[in-house]
Amino acid sequence: MNKTARLFVILLLGFLLLVLSFVYAHLLFLWFLLSLLLLLVGMLLLYPQGKTHISHGDDLEKERARLEAAINTLQVGFLLIDADHNLVTLNARAQAMLHVVPPLPEEYFYKDLPIINNNFTMQKLEEVFSDETNLKGMIDECILKKKPLEKREVSFGKKYFHLMLSPIVVFKQKPEVIGCVLLIEDATEARVLEKSRDEFFSIASHELRTPLTAIRGNISLIEQYYSSTVSDERFKHMLSDIHISSQRLIHIVDDFLDSSRLEQGRITFAKEVVKVDELVEVISKEYQSVAKEKGVTLSYDKPKTTVVAIGDPDRIKQIVINLVSNSLKHTEKGKVSLTVTSSEKSVTVRVSDTGMGIAEEDKKKLFTKFQKTENHTYAKDATNGSGLGLYISKLLAQGMEGNVTLEESTVGKGSSFVLTLPIAKE
Amino acid sequence: MAKLLIIEDDPFMRSLYDNTFSLAGFEVVLGNDGKSGLNLAKVSQPALILLDIMMPEMSGLEVLEQLKADDTTKNIPVAMLSNLGEDENKKQAFEKGAIAYIVKSEHEPAAIVTLVNQLLEKYHTAS
C-alpha cells in the first residue's frame, strides 16, 4: 500500500507540473520535459503493480482449485458445515461414502466432482444417519462447546464409520465459531480385523489349552489316585516329569495370551479396594512349602495397620506371585522377605532376596519381552520358560496405574523388586 | 454324594471330568452336546451343572439361556467350565445366570473338585 501511495504522489506531481507548464507558458521547456518524465516513470512503476492486481485474481483462482483438489483427494469424507447448519462443502469421498453419487471410478471423483452437491442438503445428511447417531446433536454440541467430538463405530448400512467433528474458530475480538468440519472415516475394515483378532484369541486359547488340560488333568489324577499301584520309581519319575512339563506348557500358553491381551488393551481391570497386607499374607503362606523345599526362609513383615490399594485383586495377586516365585527360584540360600508399606499416595510391596542378583548390563533388559539376561536367564526362568513374567507383571501394574521396578540388585548379594499401587483413600 | 451333570462335547475333556468327579465320589451324568444336556438336566435334576461353552450346534451360552428359561431347570445352579478365558465370555455367562466361571486350564482336577464343593455348599446354604 505504501508503495502504491508513493507512486500516486509521483504521478500527481508530474500531472501538476504539466498543468503548471501549460498555465505558465513562459516557464522553461525543461519543466515540461521534467513533468513528462515524472509521469512516465510513475506509469512504468505502476504498470507492474497493476499487473500484480490482475495476477492476484489468478492466484486466488489457482489457490481455490488447489484447495478443492486437495479436499477432493482426501481419503476421508470431508464436510464443512456453517454456524447456521448449512452444508457448505462436501468432498468427493464423502459423496461416495454417503451414496450421494452412484459408485464411479476413483479418478472421476478426484478430478471432476465439485465439492458441493446442491441436491444434498444438511437435512439429508442428518437423515442418512440413524437417530441413534444424532448427528444434529453432535454438531450443536461441537459449535456450542467449541470442542472437537468423535463417535466411533457408527453403523451406516453394512459399514462402520468413525465420525470426527471439529469446530472452526476465528479470532476477532473474541473467539467465534463460524461452523464445523465433519470428517468421516470408513472403519469397516479395521472392525473386521478386530473381529478376526478376537476370534484368533478365542480359538488359540481354546484349541491349545484343551489338549494340554487333558494331559495335565489325567496325569494329576493318576498321581492322586494310582500312585500306590506304581512301584517302579523310574516310572513314577516319568509321570512326574509329564505332569510338570504339562504345567509349564500351560503357563507358557497363558503368558503368551496374557501379554497379547495386555498389549492390545484387552484386559479389563477391576477397580476395587484391596487389602494388600492380607493378600500378601495369603501368598506368603501359600509359598512357605516351596521355600522350605529349597531351604530358603520366606518371611513376611505384616504391617500393624491395614494397607489398602485400588486395583484388581486377581491381578495384584498374579504380580506378587510372579515376584515371589522369581525370587525363590533365584535364591539358593538365605531368605526372601516381603514387606508392605504405604505413603501418602501409594502402596508398596517389596520382594527382596539374598539370591544371585542381576548384573548391571542385564538390568535394563529385565522388563522387556523375551529378553534373557547374559548371566542367568532371570526373566526366562521366572515364568517356567516363556520369558514374559516380569514383562507381564509390569504391564499389569501399569494397567492399574501402578508399576513394577527393580529397586536394587547386586550380583551375588541379591535383588529387591518393588510393586507400587495407588493407595485407597478412606 | 451330590449329582453332577457335565455337558461337554470334547471326548477327552468329558472323560477327564467324569473321572475327576467319579473318583471324588460324585454321581456323574454326562451330556455330549447342548441338546442332550438340556434333556438330561430336566430328567436327572442334578445338584449342579458344569457347562462347556464351545460346542457345535448349540453353544454353552445358548444352553444356559434355555436352562434359565425353563421352569423345571431354572433353579439348578450352573457353573461354566470352559477354556475360553476372555473377560467378555465371563461377562456374558454371568449376565445369563451362571454362578461361576471356571477356566479349565487354570485348575488341576483336585482344585476343581474343591471349587465345586464350595459352590454346592454355598448354593445349599443360600437355598
Side-chain angles (χ1 to χ4, degrees), chain A residues 201-203 205-207 209-211 213-214 216-218 220-221 224-226 243 247 250 254 261 266-269 315, chain B residues 10 12-13 15-17 19-20 23-24 52 54 82-87 89-90 103-110 113:
Chain A
F201 273 103
S202 298
I203 292 166
S205 63
H206 193 265
E207 298 307 310
R209 283 162 159 180
T210 301
T213 311
R216 186 193 58 183
N218 281 301
S220 182
L221 289 176
Q224 191 180 349
Y225 293 100
Y226 302 100
H243 193 184
Q247 285 172 330
I250 287 177
D254 285 347
R261 284 190 197 123
R266 294 164 52 82
I267 284 191
T268 47
F269 292 92
R315 306 300 178 194
Chain B
D10 186 294
F12 294 102
M13 285 287 111
S15 97
L16 171 67
Y17 293 115
N19 289 332
T20 300
L23 286 167
D52 183 29
M54 263 177 75
S82 170
N83 257 331
L84 293 174
E86 300 294 311
D87 288 344
N89 306 129
K90 295 178 188 174
V103 178
K104 293 169 186 166
S105 69
E106 286 176 7
H107 309 277
E108 296 268 0
V113 172

Side-chain angles (χ1 to χ4, degrees), chain A residues 23-310:
Chain A
V23 173
Y24 302 100
H26 60 277
L27 285 176
L28 291 170
F29 183 58
L30 194 69
W31 275 54
F32 180 68
L33 275 182
L34 186 68
S35 57
L36 266 181
L37 191 71
L38 273 170
L39 270 175
L40 202 66
V41 169
M43 282 174 81
L44 272 173
L45 283 172
L46 261 187
Y47 177 71
Q49 193 74 12
K51 200 168 164 140
T52 315
H53 271 294
I54 296 160
S55 78
H56 217 209
D58 273 356
D59 279 355
L60 269 180
E61 188 59 35
K62 251 192 215 165
E63 199 57 39
R64 200 178 69 87
R66 189 152 55 192
L67 269 175
E68 247 182 54
I71 290 171
N72 251 353
T73 44
L74 279 177
Q75 294 295 304
V76 289
F78 175 98
L79 297 94
L80 196 65
I81 298 146
D82 70 16
D84 300 322
H85 280 241
N86 295 309
L87 190 54
V88 183
T89 301
L90 174 74
N91 78 341
R93 179 64 59 179
Q95 295 187 49
M97 287 168 102
L98 302 171
H99 310 308
V100 176
V101 287
L104 282 167
E106 300 240 319
E107 315 83 71
Y108 174 81
F109 288 121
Y110 301 152
K111 282 182 194 156
D112 307 319
L113 210 63
I115 57 168
I116 185 70
N117 186 317
N118 291 327
N119 296 325
F120 195 72
T121 57
M122 194 60 209
Q123 196 191 346
K124 282 192 179 164
L125 172 68
E126 281 163 7
E127 280 168 9
V128 296
F129 285 104
S130 65
D131 291 346
E132 197 194 325
T133 310
N134 189 14
L135 187 64
K136 191 175 183 307
M138 281 177 75
I139 294 168
D140 283 340
E141 196 184 333
C142 173
I143 292 176
L144 199 72
K145 291 187 176 165
K146 299 177 189 164
K147 272 187 181 164
L149 278 181
E150 65 175 330
K151 201 170 254 188
R152 293 184 169 270
E153 302 209 345
V154 171
S155 69
F156 184 85
K158 285 180 181 169
K159 296 200 167 231
Y160 289 90
F161 290 163
H162 179 185
L163 307 184
M164 290 158 279
L165 267 172
S166 215
I168 309 168
V169 185
V170 289
F171 290 87
K172 290 180 180 170
Q173 272 91 5
K174 53 179 186 172
E176 193 182 314
V177 180
I178 58 163
C180 62
V181 170
L182 169 63
L183 294 180
I184 308 176
E185 188 186 18
D186 190 339
T188 316
E189 211 171 303
R191 205 184 132 96
V192 169
L193 263 175
E194 175 84 2
K195 210 163 172 252
S196 58
R197 206 165 50 195
D198 281 6
E199 278 166 8
F200 168 77
F201 273 103
S202 298
I203 292 166
S205 63
H206 193 265
E207 298 307 310
L208 289 169
R209 283 162 159 180
T210 301
L212 287 172
T213 311
I215 297 169
R216 186 193 58 183
N218 281 301
I219 286 290
S220 182
L221 289 176
I222 290 169
E223 288 189 331
Q224 191 180 349
Y225 293 100
Y226 302 100
S227 66
S228 58
T229 63
V230 181
S231 53
D232 189 329
E233 279 308 310
R234 198 186 288 269
F235 188 18
K236 269 192 182 166
H237 195 80
M238 285 173 176
L239 289 176
S240 164
D241 281 357
I242 297 173
H243 193 184
I244 293 166
S245 301
S246 64
Q247 285 172 330
R248 285 178 61 167
L249 207 44
I250 287 177
H251 272 298
I252 293 170
V253 171
D254 285 347
D255 277 358
F256 274 121
L257 288 168
D258 266 355
S259 61
S260 299
R261 284 190 197 123
L262 279 163
E263 283 161 5
Q264 291 172 21
R266 294 164 52 82
I267 284 191
T268 47
F269 292 92
K271 269 197 163 180
E272 291 173 21
V273 175
V274 184
K275 289 181 179 167
V276 182
D277 56 322
E278 288 179 13
L279 185 142
V280 173
E281 189 176 24
V282 171
I283 294 168
S284 163
K285 280 180 184 163
E286 273 177 23
Y287 277 78
Q288 285 304 328
S289 58
V290 183
K292 208 174 171 186
E293 224 169 85
K294 279 202 84 174
V296 173
T297 312
L298 175 60
S299 69
Y300 171 45
D301 186 13
K302 196 184 176 188
K304 289 182 179 66
T305 51
T306 303
V307 177
V308 282
I310 293 282

